[in-house]
Amino acid sequence: PDRGEPYAYLLQLYEAKELRNELLQEAEAYLNIQEHDHDTARLLLDRFALDKRWEDLARVAPRVIGITPMAPFVHQQYGTALAVLKRPKEAAFELESALAAGIRKPGPVRALLAQQYLMLGDKGKAKAAAEQALKEDPGNPDAAMVLKSLGN
């Protein structure tokens, strides 16, 4: 279809029938037509994150950021996907963006950021991020692991 309405109907139908892959395929096709549809973009992002489809999430997230550039959750999920895909420089930028946008639970995000800094070889930033993560989320195992690997 070259209009949004049939896709919107298909999305409802596939969701009701729990046809997840078809839902995601049609949602992405719908987003190609309705480029600024926030709800569909978030649906894709949320489902890809839930299914741990990191390559798909990394492909779609820039479009979602174009629609809602200051949504902390979008930056967090994109940063997580990039981290899993071993793209630490890009992941660090997105995780920093999530923190700057005011993510509600910064501790786990900062711990993942510390891991990215460590992968990039920036031990000073890794240590600072891990220490701050432990202040925000005491007992965070990822932050503790970063500090341990730094000899602290």
Side-chain angles (χ1 to χ4, degrees), residues 1-13 26 30 33:
D2 60 355
R3 297 183 345 263
E5 293 82 11
Y7 284 110
Y9 176 72
L10 282 172
L11 294 179
Q12 293 171 354
L13 180 67
E26 295 303 329
Y30 176 70
I33 295 171

Side-chain angles (χ1 to χ4, degrees), residues 12-118:
Q12 293 171 354
L13 180 67
Y14 287 142
E15 183 136 48
K17 298 285 185 180
E18 296 184 20
L19 297 170
R20 192 175 200 84
N21 288 331
E22 291 83 352
L23 169 69
L24 297 174
Q25 181 180 350
E26 295 303 329
E28 199 159 353
Y30 176 70
L31 197 58
N32 287 333
I33 295 171
Q34 299 293 331
E35 294 176 350
H36 300 288
D37 187 318
H38 173 267
D39 293 339
T40 302
R42 260 316 277 276
L43 176 130
L44 277 171
L45 193 75
D46 292 346
R47 298 293 169 88
F48 287 152
L50 188 63
D51 293 349
K52 298 186 185 323
R53 291 174 54 175
W54 304 118
E55 294 88 2
D56 291 327
L57 195 150
R59 181 175 41 79
V60 170
R63 293 175 70 182
V64 182
I65 290 170
I67 297 168
T68 56
M70 292 306 295
F73 178 77
V74 176
H75 290 285
Q76 176 192 10
Q77 290 300 341
Y78 188 25
T80 300
L82 293 168
V84 170
L85 296 171
K86 306 289 187 226
R87 294 164 55 183
K89 186 174 181 181
E90 297 166 274
F93 176 80
E94 291 304 326
L95 296 168
E96 289 168 351
S97 298
L99 292 165
I103 195 81
R104 288 186 185 146
K105 295 182 180 180
V109 174
R110 209 173 301 274
L112 183 56
L113 179 59
Q115 291 174 332
Q116 302 315 296
Y117 287 146
L118 193 60

Side-chain angles (χ1 to χ4, degrees), residues 87-89 92 112-128 146 149-150:
R87 294 164 55 183
K89 186 174 181 181
L112 183 56
L113 179 59
Q115 291 174 332
Q116 302 315 296
Y117 287 146
L118 193 60
M119 288 178 69
L120 291 168
D122 193 334
K123 294 179 180 179
K125 282 187 176 181
K127 180 180 178 183
V146 169
S149 69
L150 291 170

